[in-house]
Amino acid sequence: DAKTTQPPSMDCAEGRAANLPCNHSTISGNEYVYWYRQIHSQGPQYIIHGLKNNETNEMASLIITEDRKSSTLILPHATLRDTAVYYCIVNAGNNRKLIWGLGTSLAVNP
Amino acid sequence: GAVVSQHPSWVICKSGTSVKIECRSLDFQATTMFWYRQFPKQSLMLMATSNEGSKATYEQGVEKDKFLINHASLTLSTLTVTSAHPEDSSFYICSAEGQGWDQPQHFGDGTRLSIL
């Protein structure tokens, strides 16, 4: 599975959009981009995933570049409850093991 | 949505005892479940992949006799930490495969294990 690179930490003001980048330059054609987050002392929570088209759900938007080598997770109106570690993972299917990096620790400030 | 329940959420026990952690898929069936371990300020590390009705597949460096995994039904997988020692203290998390090829895994809330 392809490796991902994320900045270790980011800050965002409450109410503003949070844009979290992820590089996955070695992604294969059959690999999806998944985003999860982990709030302190809880299990990971799924946010969104996509293959090549941009995706949007009630939590976030996912923008994938045309060459698929990077993506951006957008939280449109960040709240204090969005403070968490955000993980970008590329994976070819649901029964494949997920490789977790260190993610991006997002701090949403009042 | 798909819910994974993990029990207990928190356990403290004496060194040398065995501890069993349960992972249940509440409203769906899961042929494959995964067990992770997470140390403070570190990422999740996959320990093993649990397949219903067959032996678990362990990651390199994970002792299968130390961490016993049983996946006897499509809704329940258990992890038993045998003869636990303080170095086994960690946050253990399970997940279940998604329903559909590209669907995400569903995670439990984790078990905080502290060995005294």
Side-chain angles (χ1 to χ4, degrees):
Chain A
D1 294 309
K3 183 179 177 180
T4 63
T5 304
Q6 299 176 252
S9 64
M10 292 183 65
D11 286 284
C12 178
E14 188 177 19
R16 304 297 293 270
N19 298 281
L20 291 87
C22 179
N23 285 319
H24 32 79
S25 59
T26 60
I27 191 170
S28 299
N30 64 340
E31 288 183 313
Y32 292 79
V33 180
Y34 295 84
W35 283 83
Y36 293 85
R37 72 181 182 184
Q38 186 177 26
I39 296 171
H40 183 62
S41 294
Q42 296 183 23
Q45 176 189 23
Y46 165 75
I47 302 173
I48 199 168
H49 76 285
L51 183 62
K52 52 183 178 181
N53 296 323
N54 298 336
E55 302 288 344
T56 295
N57 63 21
E58 64 279 5
M59 290 184 69
S61 294
L62 174 61
I63 309 298
I64 303 175
T65 58
E66 195 167 339
D67 63 7
R68 304 213 316 128
K69 292 185 177 182
S70 66
S71 61
T72 301
L73 177 74
I74 302 173
L75 308 178
H77 305 288
T79 71
L80 299 179
R81 288 177 294 181
D82 292 321
T83 292
V85 179
Y86 288 76
Y87 296 95
C88 166
I89 298 172
V90 294
N91 190 271
N94 68 325
N95 60 355
R96 297 279 304 274
K97 59 184 182 181
L98 301 179
I99 307 299
W100 299 77
L102 292 175
T104 295
S105 178
L106 174 68
V108 180
N109 304 307
Chain B
V3 177
V4 172
S5 174
Q6 195 171 335
H7 179 79
S9 57
W10 180 69
V11 60
I12 299 175
C13 61
K14 294 181 179 179
S15 183
T17 59
S18 294
V19 179
K20 179 185 285 188
I21 302 170
E22 294 186 346
C23 180
R24 294 182 185 271
S25 55
L26 294 186
D27 51 359
F28 66 102
Q29 294 182 330
T31 303
T32 303
M33 291 186 174
F34 304 88
W35 286 96
Y36 297 84
R37 179 168 52 181
Q38 186 176 31
F39 292 107
K41 298 190 184 300
Q42 295 187 22
S43 190
L44 280 75
M45 285 179 42
L46 181 66
M47 299 175 67
T49 301
S50 167
N51 296 294
E52 187 269 336
S54 64
K55 291 183 179 180
T57 302
Y58 290 82
E59 294 300 300
Q60 190 173 10
V62 178
E63 299 175 57
K64 62 180 181 180
D65 295 329
K66 172 77 171 176
F67 300 98
L68 300 179
I69 291 173
N70 183 278
H71 193 162
S73 79
L74 289 172
T75 59
L76 174 64
S77 176
T78 62
L79 168 69
T80 301
V81 183
T82 62
S83 186
H85 290 94
E87 58 266 28
D88 298 321
S89 298
S90 188
F91 191 50
Y92 292 86
I93 307 168
C94 72
S95 72
E97 61 178 349
Q99 306 303 290
W101 177 249
D102 69 313
Q103 293 304 298
Q105 293 180 15
H106 307 286
F107 287 82
D109 281 336
T111 297
R112 177 76 56 192
L113 175 62
S114 295
I115 309 297
L116 303 178

